[in-house]
Amino acid sequence: MFDQQLANTQFWLSKSLNEMNQQEWEAICDGCGKCCLNTFIDSEDEDDFTATDQLREGEQLIFTNIVCQYLDNNTCGCSEYENRQTLVPSCVKLTKENLKDIFFMPQSCSYRRLHEGRGLATWHPLLNNGDKTKMHELNISVKDKTVKDCDVKLEDFDLYIAEWPTKDCN
């Protein structure tokens, strides 16, 4: 739920992500839903694939428009937020501890923007009285652009490659 009093403090201008309390940390999330998109790493050397915390030379992060079955396409929020990691063990919970591995988040991600010193985008709900309308109008969010992972065959993932998740505004 949006907290106008918290937004009025503009805490993100005076605190680093590491200095934020839990309420502030959660408020930084813009609620776009892009973190729920399935991604994969395209590698020139597919025979030598190992888990990574950064992209290596010759690798590219590819976004799809496939989302977790628990994503609400209208609100762009998780319908099972509190239980998401139990229900979907591969769901990544972004924390202060794993923020250094943020390469897997889209360029528009507010955590990534702050981590990289780019500030919040003008469409961020904290700058728009908690309203996501501007974010949706600029096509930043996943709203009305996705298909559920339970409706897609694993071998067909490459048919759902999407460029729009890489879009960022200001």
Side-chain angles (χ1 to χ4, degrees):
M1 178 167 214
F2 180 71
D3 183 337
Q4 185 64 56
Q5 189 173 359
L6 180 64
N8 287 343
T9 67
Q10 296 187 340
F11 62 90
W12 60 91
L13 296 175
S14 61
K15 292 184 174 184
S16 71
L17 287 167
N18 281 326
E19 295 170 328
M20 292 180 189
N21 64 37
Q22 191 60 35
Q23 182 184 15
E24 293 164 337
W25 177 267
E26 291 287 333
I28 291 302
C29 177
D30 52 55
C32 71
K34 285 183 182 176
C35 58
C36 298
L37 294 169
N38 282 264
T39 60
F40 59 93
I41 295 176
D42 186 18
S43 178
E44 292 175 352
D45 190 7
E46 294 182 22
D47 294 333
D48 187 32
F49 185 79
T50 55
T52 183
D53 59 0
Q54 64 183 2
L55 289 176
R56 294 176 287 236
E57 188 175 333
E59 293 181 335
Q60 180 182 5
L61 185 64
I62 305 293
F63 287 89
T64 71
N65 67 334
I66 303 168
V67 293
C68 170
Q69 63 183 314
Y70 299 111
L71 183 85
D72 180 322
N73 188 52
N74 191 42
T75 65
C76 302
C78 181
S79 63
E80 293 290 340
Y81 188 74
E82 294 303 318
N83 301 313
R84 68 193 186 279
Q85 292 185 284
T86 301
L87 295 168
V88 183
S90 62
C91 177
V92 176
K93 179 180 180 180
L94 192 60
T95 65
K96 295 174 185 179
E97 291 73 35
N98 68 6
L99 190 61
K100 66 184 180 349
D101 306 329
I102 202 162
F103 79 91
F104 61 88
M105 298 299 279
Q107 291 290 323
S108 62
C109 171
S110 296
Y111 295 102
R112 183 171 182 166
R113 290 179 61 95
L114 290 177
H115 181 71
E116 294 174 350
R118 295 185 287 135
L120 293 181
T122 58
W123 47 262
H124 195 288
L126 279 172
L127 301 175
N128 291 280
N129 297 315
D131 192 354
K132 291 184 178 184
T133 302
K134 194 170 184 181
M135 177 176 61
H136 296 316
E137 287 174 350
L138 291 170
N139 290 312
I140 297 297
S141 74
V142 301
K143 186 175 174 136
D144 299 326
K145 298 184 198 113
T146 62
V147 61
K148 303 281 186 183
D149 56 5
C150 56
D151 296 329
V152 176
K153 294 179 184 173
L154 182 59
E155 62 269 12
D156 292 338
F157 268 41
D158 60 332
L159 301 176
Y160 296 90
I161 293 173
E163 293 292 325
W164 60 265
T166 63
K167 181 179 179 177
D168 192 6
C169 294
N170 65 37

